[in-house]
Amino acid sequence: VRREIAGALGEAGVAHVELEVVRVTPWTLELRGVVLGAEDPWRAGRVVVRYSPGLLRDRRVESVSADDVRLTIRRRAGAEGFSKKA
């Protein structure tokens, strides 16, 4: 299962994938220690994906929840919408 998830994320353009599969049922996938991306990666302590077999056939899911999420947002030079606080 881990290989299939990493492969699908790679096809979607995610350069680096780390994860531990905790539980897989016909309705739920639970992951732990998720790291996505090589530079400034998105990290989550736990991710739960809920689905049904029918939704999976259509490459869809019902919901995705993530706990203990850490990400870095960097301001690009010249980017609008950010203000400097004194």
Side-chain angles (χ1 to χ4, degrees):
V1 172
R2 189 215 170 283
R3 227 175 310 187
E4 287 84 1
I5 295 168
L9 290 168
E11 287 178 18
V14 178
H16 175 80
V17 176
E18 293 178 30
L19 56 89
E20 177 187 343
V21 177
V22 176
R23 180 172 56 125
V24 179
T25 74
W27 306 274
T28 304
L29 168 67
E30 184 177 346
L31 306 172
R32 181 171 37 208
V34 179
V35 179
L36 304 178
E39 186 177 321
D40 295 327
W42 180 91
R43 299 173 184 270
R46 178 175 172 256
V47 175
V48 177
V49 182
R50 299 194 191 287
Y51 49 79
S52 68
L55 286 173
L56 285 182
R57 278 193 299 274
D58 294 336
R59 299 182 69 115
R60 297 176 32 220
V61 298
E62 181 180 311
S63 66
V64 177
S65 62
D67 298 329
D68 191 23
V69 175
R70 291 159 290 176
L71 58 102
T72 301
I73 300 172
R74 296 190 186 276
R75 179 175 178 249
R76 291 188 325 223
E80 298 294 324
F82 287 93
S83 62
K84 294 181 182 178
K85 293 187 177 183

